[in-house]
Amino acid sequence: MKLYGYFRSSAAYRVRIALNLKGLKPEMAFVHLRHGVQGQPEFTALNPEKLVPALAVDGQVLSQSLAIIEYLEETHPTPALLPADPLDRARVRALALAVACDIHPLDNLRVLKHLKNAMGHSQEEVDSWYRHWIAVGLSGLEARLAGDPRTGRFCHGDTPGLADALLVPQLYNARRMDCPLDGFPTLLRIDSACRDLPAFIAAAPENQPDAEA
Amino acid sequence: MKLYGYFRSSAAYRVRIALNLKGLKPEMAFVHLRHGVQGQPEFTALNPEKLVPALAVDGQVLSQSLAIIEYLEETHPTPALLPADPLDRARVRALALAVACDIHPLDNLRVLKHLKNAMGHSQEEVDSWYRHWIAVGLSGLEARLAGDPRTGRFCHGDTPGLADALLVPQLYNARRMDCPLDGFPTLLRIDSACRDLPAFIAAAPENQPDAEA
């Protein structure tokens, strides 16, 4: 297996957490998103969507962080990142998708660049956009997690799993952009519990070989 | 089961297709997104994320269209919407997520409203934003589907499945906004094959009880 990522890509960060939780150590390749390497032919031949992460495995290249993590779950089921019961699995997947579909896509690099370069927004306006969607999305997640007895030390019970692998990178991004997080005590508590674990520490952007200051 | 949806919600449309492919007929409830019903207490008590679709089942409320469809797949496995092989499942999920994460979130109603009302863009600028992300996202999907021998009459082989349930609503939206689709012959061919099927016809926005002109 070979993982194509970028230290600060939140989607690559998710996959690194999942790999670490499962004790898997693929070869790592680095795609410098700010230098535009994702749009160069050698990478688009691998992933025409021009996005990281991508996982090369068995002669194929898998894309989309959640599809990659589901693949890892199916092929390396222990330890499980999803609970066993279908209703619980739906809960965990919904928490993960609330990050992957409702928060992150609005705040990723290509969107922020488009707002600034193509639509003429100031950095202040772009930052305000960013914080708006973080606040909206995290509010929904906080309500969902705080009000549910299935929430434990982690997003679902007392074992880290898929939803935690999505939450932690999203909060990392939120902090980088100085988003106010006081209103999300449940998210902060879970994030803190996760970031004590070796799998999450080793996956953190600042601990990657391609990390920059 | 009770599905909370809105005729024109692309995410609800996906779930309707999946339900129809599996021959499931839940009770239907209608949440008028343009009238803001998703933000009223009776609905936010069900789904604090204020989004449709939501599926009430066994005393719980599931959210996020992909989590709902995975739940249906696990609890009603026949006919399958995902192939059996893990690499193929990853491919189909990645196609679905390319729509769910990389196209739709940028073009949904709340985002378009925010661009117009909070950020002061004209309708023309909002439309241009919409078409930009449709073009970027569909280009990636077209490249991925056209270049892969696993693509058949449908996104994966000759049986409709998860990726088709995501593609068709996205193309419906693209057509509503007059996005140019000439550059996506593979997507159009698959979309046409899908829209010949009763499951897709019955799921179409114009065929819902809450449809408006």
Side-chain angles (χ1 to χ4, degrees):
Chain A
M1 286 198 295
K2 183 171 181 177
L3 180 69
Y4 294 83
Y6 177 60
F7 75 108
R8 218 171 243 160
S9 155
S10 156
Y13 188 178
R14 299 168 187 164
V15 173
R16 293 196 299 264
I17 293 169
L19 287 162
N20 292 345
L21 285 170
K22 289 186 176 292
L24 300 170
K25 296 192 187 302
E27 187 185 346
M28 305 291 261
F30 307 104
V31 181
H32 203 302
L33 298 191
R34 286 202 176 264
H35 293 175
V37 175
Q38 71 279 18
Q40 292 172 5
E42 58 267 41
F43 187 71
T44 62
L46 291 171
N47 185 5
E49 289 154 24
K50 305 179 192 174
L51 299 168
V52 297
L55 185 76
V57 55
D58 289 347
Q60 293 182 32
V61 180
L62 309 185
S63 66
Q64 296 289 340
S65 61
L66 282 173
I68 292 171
I69 297 175
E70 294 267 4
Y71 170 81
L72 296 173
E73 180 78 352
E74 290 177 351
T75 53
H76 300 83
T78 308
L81 303 183
L82 285 168
D85 177 76
L87 282 170
D88 289 340
R89 293 165 75 82
R91 175 180 186 257
V92 172
R93 286 189 173 117
L95 293 168
L97 289 160
V99 173
C101 297
D102 298 332
I103 305 178
H104 180 63
L106 295 162
D107 286 341
N108 71 10
L109 187 59
R110 62 181 192 152
V111 172
L112 305 181
K113 273 188 178 170
H114 187 78
L115 285 169
K116 200 164 175 181
N117 300 338
M119 297 181 82
H121 285 288
S122 66
Q123 188 59 50
E124 193 179 355
E125 288 165 336
V126 172
D127 291 351
S128 164
W129 159 278
Y130 192 105
R131 293 190 188 111
H132 172 75
W133 295 114
I134 290 277
V136 169
L138 295 185
S139 297
L141 265 184
E142 174 71 24
R144 187 166 277 277
L145 283 164
D148 193 322
R150 291 171 293 183
T151 304
R153 180 165 171 76
F154 300 104
C155 285
H156 193 85
D158 294 325
T159 312
L162 175 67
D164 304 293
L166 279 273
L167 176 65
V168 168
Q170 189 60 67
L171 288 178
Y172 168 88
N173 282 356
R175 275 193 203 93
R176 268 191 73 218
M177 295 296 288
D178 292 324
C179 300
L181 298 175
D182 297 349
F184 314 120
T186 312
L187 305 185
L188 290 177
R189 176 181 64 70
I190 294 169
D191 177 64
S192 173
C194 288
R195 291 192 295 127
D196 281 343
L197 302 178
F200 287 78
I201 294 169
E206 62 271 21
N207 296 329
Q208 303 316 300
D210 62 330
E212 295 168 4
Chain B
M1 286 200 293
K2 184 172 180 177
L3 179 70
Y4 294 82
Y6 177 60
F7 76 109
R8 218 170 244 161
S9 156
S10 156
Y13 187 0
R14 300 167 187 165
V15 174
R16 293 195 301 263
I17 293 169
L19 287 162
N20 292 345
L21 285 170
K22 288 186 176 291
L24 299 169
K25 295 192 186 305
E27 186 185 345
M28 304 291 261
F30 307 105
V31 180
H32 202 302
L33 298 190
R34 285 204 176 263
H35 292 175
V37 174
Q38 72 278 20
Q40 292 173 4
E42 59 266 41
F43 187 70
T44 62
L46 292 172
N47 185 5
E49 289 155 26
K50 306 180 190 173
L51 298 168
V52 297
L55 185 75
V57 56
D58 289 346
Q60 292 181 32
V61 180
L62 309 184
S63 66
Q64 296 289 342
S65 60
L66 282 174
I68 293 171
I69 296 174
E70 294 268 4
Y71 170 82
L72 296 173
E73 181 76 352
E74 291 178 349
T75 53
H76 300 84
T78 309
L81 302 183
L82 285 168
D85 177 76
L87 282 171
D88 288 340
R89 293 165 75 83
R91 174 180 187 257
V92 172
R93 285 189 175 118
L95 293 168
L97 288 161
V99 173
C101 296
D102 297 332
I103 307 177
H104 180 63
L106 295 162
D107 286 342
N108 72 10
L109 186 58
R110 61 180 192 152
V111 172
L112 305 181
K113 273 188 179 171
H114 187 79
L115 285 167
K116 199 165 177 181
N117 301 337
M119 297 180 81
H121 285 289
S122 66
Q123 187 60 47
E124 193 179 353
E125 288 166 336
V126 173
D127 291 351
S128 165
W129 160 278
Y130 192 106
R131 292 189 190 111
H132 172 75
W133 295 114
I134 290 277
V136 169
L138 295 185
S139 296
L141 265 183
E142 174 71 24
R144 188 166 275 279
L145 283 164
D148 192 321
R150 292 171 292 184
T151 303
R153 180 166 171 77
F154 300 104
C155 286
H156 192 85
D158 294 326
T159 311
L162 176 67
D164 305 293
L166 279 273
L167 176 65
V168 168
Q170 189 61 66
L171 288 177
Y172 169 87
N173 282 357
R175 275 194 202 92
R176 267 191 72 217
M177 295 296 288
D178 293 324
C179 299
L181 297 175
D182 296 349
F184 314 119
T186 312
L187 305 185
L188 291 177
R189 175 182 64 69
I190 293 169
D191 177 66
S192 173
C194 289
R195 291 193 295 125
D196 280 344
L197 301 177
F200 287 78
I201 295 169
E206 63 272 22
N207 295 330
Q208 303 316 301
D210 62 331
E212 294 168 6

